[in-house]
């Protein structure tokens, strides 16, 4: 973005934030991340980038061509989608109306060992600061980053959180969703302690770690990729139960957890079932309140993927019963092919909870500004 371009976009006054986008995936340009990575892992990462040890179990349309990305998100220089901050700003902020963007890099999960994953997290954090959150690429102040932390090494992850927690542009901790054992195990307490100490939410994005490359369901391996994709919600459901019944929120009452891209419509029947078990065996659970109350007080979900039934009233009812105005955050999933336009999502959220889902919950959770300098020509989502 040149100074001339910036001048063309600057407008007078401020504008209220109407969209906080909680799921955007920046990618490093080829070889750039190696500048920040422990040299002993550079060879492995370079080979992996060439296709080594690459199990593909994702059936997005035309995957071999676009790698599950929007085809218009690839810059003209031949780099990968969402490697150009200026292009992302133009497509996502100016053309689609996302006022604030929470960056959630996925490169931090690449690694065959815990040591390599921790090294990748440290490298991605430094890369975000210098390539996306710096004054040149983030002159508009719309981008905020995620502290990537390898939860399978909890003490190392906690130190990484401590390193970046005071940075004004890092607004959440980003971990993988499927470690063994589940999150309720006390071994992860150093991560939860660091998060609550600094009052930073912990987010997880669906993804394939070493336990989830081709996971086995309770009835064996799945036949198709579309079976596999549905199971991500089941993974999140198990982590929700572990967090609650293993007492994480009893030990860390202010901890906030965000499930990104795990869908959300399943949480209502899960709350019903957990509350029924709690009512029957309350004295044995060690919990101080109903499981559904922990969900409403401590857990958030993102809108993408939006499961859209044929009868829109069913979606409206689900949003009311969740309740969406307390636990749902807007997300676009840019630059993936499943990208949800803010204007499209906004019109499907009931009017009385639209502000909460589209921006207010995000502002409160991440402690974001409610107004920003105006941009000439920016699309307003609603």
């Amino acid at each position: 973005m040149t100074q001339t371009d910036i001048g063309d976009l600057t407008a007078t006054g401020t504008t209220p934030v109407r969209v906080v986008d909680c799921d955007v995936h920046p990618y490093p340009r080829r070889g750039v991340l190696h500048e920040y990575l422990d040299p002993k892992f550079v060879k492995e990462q370079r080979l992996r980038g060439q296709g080594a040890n690459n199990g593909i179990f994702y059936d997005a349309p035309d995957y071999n061509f676009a790698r599950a990305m929007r085809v218009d998100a690839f810059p003209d220089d031949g780099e990968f989608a969402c490697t150009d901050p200026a292009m992302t700003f133009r497509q996502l902020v100016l053309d689609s109306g996302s006022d604030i963007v929470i960056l959630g890099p996925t490169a931090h999960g690449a690694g065959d060992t815990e040591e390599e994953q921790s090294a990748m997290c440290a490298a991605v954090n430094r890369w975000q600061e210098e390539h996306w959150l710096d004054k040149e690429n983030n002159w508009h102040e719309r981008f905020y980053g995620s502290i990537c932390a390898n939860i399978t090494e909890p003490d190392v992850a906690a130190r990484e959180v401590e390193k970046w927690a005071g940075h004004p542009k890092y607004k959440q901790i980003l971990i993988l969703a499927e470690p063994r054992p589940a999150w309720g195990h006390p071994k992860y307490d150093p991560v939860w302690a660091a998060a609550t100490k600094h009052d930073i939410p912990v987010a997880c994005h669906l993804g394939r770690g070493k336990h989830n490359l081709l996971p086995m369901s309770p009835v064996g391996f799945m036949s198709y990729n579309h079976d596999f994709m549905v199971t991500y919600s089941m993974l999140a459901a198990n982590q929700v139960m572990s967090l609650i019944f293993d007492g994480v929120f009893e030990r860390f009452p202010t901890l906030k957890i965000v499930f990104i891209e795990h869908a959300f419509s399943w949480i209502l029947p899960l709350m019903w079932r957990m509350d029924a078990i709690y009512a029957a065996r309350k004295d044995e659970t060690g919990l101080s309140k109903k499981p559904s109350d922990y969900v409403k007080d401590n857990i958030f979900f993102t809108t993408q993927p939006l499961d859209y039934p044929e009868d829109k009233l069913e979606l409206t009812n689900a949003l009311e019963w969740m309740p969406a105005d307390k636990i749902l955050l807007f997300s676009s999933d840019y630059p993936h092919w499943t990208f949800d336009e803010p204007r499209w999502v906004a019109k499907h959220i009931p009017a009385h909870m639209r502000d909460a889902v589209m921006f207010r919950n995000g502002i409160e959770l991440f402690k974001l500004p409610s107004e920003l300098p105006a941009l000439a020509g920016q699309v307003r989502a609603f």
Side-chain angles (χ1 to χ4, degrees):
M1 184 69 67
T2 66
Q3 291 299 317
T4 301
D5 293 330
I6 293 172
D8 293 342
L9 293 171
T10 303
T12 59
T14 60
T15 186
V17 171
R18 303 292 290 173
V19 177
V20 175
D21 192 338
C22 299
D23 184 26
V24 174
H25 307 297
Y27 293 89
R29 290 174 176 267
R30 284 172 291 201
V32 169
L33 203 58
H34 299 165
E35 301 172 18
Y36 304 94
L37 187 62
D38 186 326
K40 67 181 179 181
F41 297 119
V42 171
K43 179 181 178 180
E44 285 79 1
Q45 288 295 320
R46 185 174 287 120
L47 289 172
R48 192 173 289 112
Q50 295 170 358
N53 195 26
N54 187 17
I56 300 298
F57 302 101
Y58 187 36
D59 62 351
D62 207 7
Y63 186 87
N64 288 334
F65 174 67
R67 309 292 287 185
M69 304 294 155
R70 282 174 42 168
V71 294
D72 65 344
F74 290 81
D76 293 337
D77 60 8
E79 289 286 345
F80 197 65
C82 206
T83 54
D84 184 344
M87 184 177 184
T88 300
F89 167 73
R90 183 174 67 253
Q91 290 187 333
L92 195 58
V93 176
L94 293 182
D95 296 346
S96 293
S98 287
D99 295 302
I100 291 179
V101 173
I102 306 295
L103 303 173
T106 56
H108 72 285
D112 292 327
T113 65
E114 293 179 355
E115 183 185 15
E116 186 178 6
Q117 288 183 2
S118 293
M120 285 295 290
C121 286
V124 168
N125 292 334
R126 293 174 57 200
W127 163 75
Q128 279 182 93
E129 183 190 39
E130 295 187 14
H131 290 263
W132 283 81
L133 305 178
D134 60 296
K135 291 187 179 300
E136 179 180 354
N137 291 304
N138 196 23
W139 61 269
H140 42 77
E141 300 290 326
R142 261 65 177 180
F143 294 155
Y144 289 86
S146 299
I147 303 172
C148 297
N150 177 21
I151 195 170
T152 62
E153 289 194 312
D155 291 330
V156 176
R159 290 196 294 271
E160 192 68 16
V161 172
E162 291 289 346
K163 177 179 178 180
W164 295 102
H167 195 294
K169 291 298 180 182
Y170 282 103
K171 292 298 183 179
Q172 68 179 6
I173 300 163
L174 188 62
I175 62 175
L176 294 180
E178 44 78 35
R180 303 290 193 275
W183 285 344
H185 195 286
K187 69 176 284 187
Y188 304 119
D189 281 2
V191 178
W192 314 139
T196 53
K197 173 185 175 182
H198 296 286
D199 196 19
I200 305 176
V202 180
C204 68
H205 186 278
L206 64 82
R208 294 167 175 80
K210 61 184 179 181
H211 296 298
N212 209 19
L213 188 61
L214 188 60
M216 181 181 288
S217 76
V219 292
F221 288 112
M222 290 157 280
S223 301
Y224 301 101
N225 180 266
H226 32 272
D227 299 11
F228 174 42
M229 296 303 292
V230 174
T231 65
Y232 277 124
S233 295
M234 300 178 189
L235 164 65
N238 279 275
Q239 292 290 26
V240 167
M241 289 186 286
S242 181
L243 288 165
I244 293 172
F245 288 122
D246 290 331
V248 171
F249 297 128
E250 291 291 328
R251 301 195 297 275
F252 303 96
T254 61
L255 178 66
K256 306 296 184 186
I257 300 289
V258 182
F259 286 93
I260 302 173
E261 219 172 309
H262 287 84
F264 59 85
S265 55
W266 51 268
I267 191 58
L268 179 63
L270 182 65
M271 288 194 290
W272 288 343
R273 186 63 182 147
M274 289 191 297
D275 282 356
I277 295 298
Y278 174 76
R281 311 186 69 168
K282 180 177 179 180
D283 294 339
E284 301 174 32
T285 64
L287 302 180
S288 60
K289 56 187 179 182
K290 294 190 302 182
S292 61
D293 289 334
Y294 293 103
V295 174
K296 295 172 186 176
D297 293 342
N298 299 90
I299 296 176
F300 294 82
F301 302 89
T302 59
T303 57
Q304 209 290 325
L306 183 64
D307 296 328
Y308 190 68
E310 292 182 12
D311 183 350
K312 185 181 176 182
L313 182 60
E314 295 177 1
L315 175 61
T316 300
N317 288 338
L319 293 169
E320 294 277 4
W321 295 336
M322 283 177 57
D325 60 338
K326 296 184 183 298
I327 63 175
L328 197 59
L329 306 163
F330 168 74
S331 65
S332 70
D333 194 28
Y334 178 91
H336 292 160
W337 71 281
T338 48
F339 172 75
D340 280 348
E341 180 77 39
R343 288 169 288 185
W344 182 84
V345 173
K347 72 179 183 180
H348 294 301
I349 305 296
H352 69 279
M353 61 174 60
R354 187 174 297 141
D355 288 0
V357 173
M358 296 301 295
F359 65 90
R360 193 169 62 237
N361 289 343
I363 288 174
E364 293 175 0
L365 178 64
F366 299 114
K367 300 177 180 60
L368 299 168
S370 59
E371 290 194 349
L372 291 167
L375 295 168
Q378 183 192 16
V379 165
R380 305 301 285 167
F382 65 101

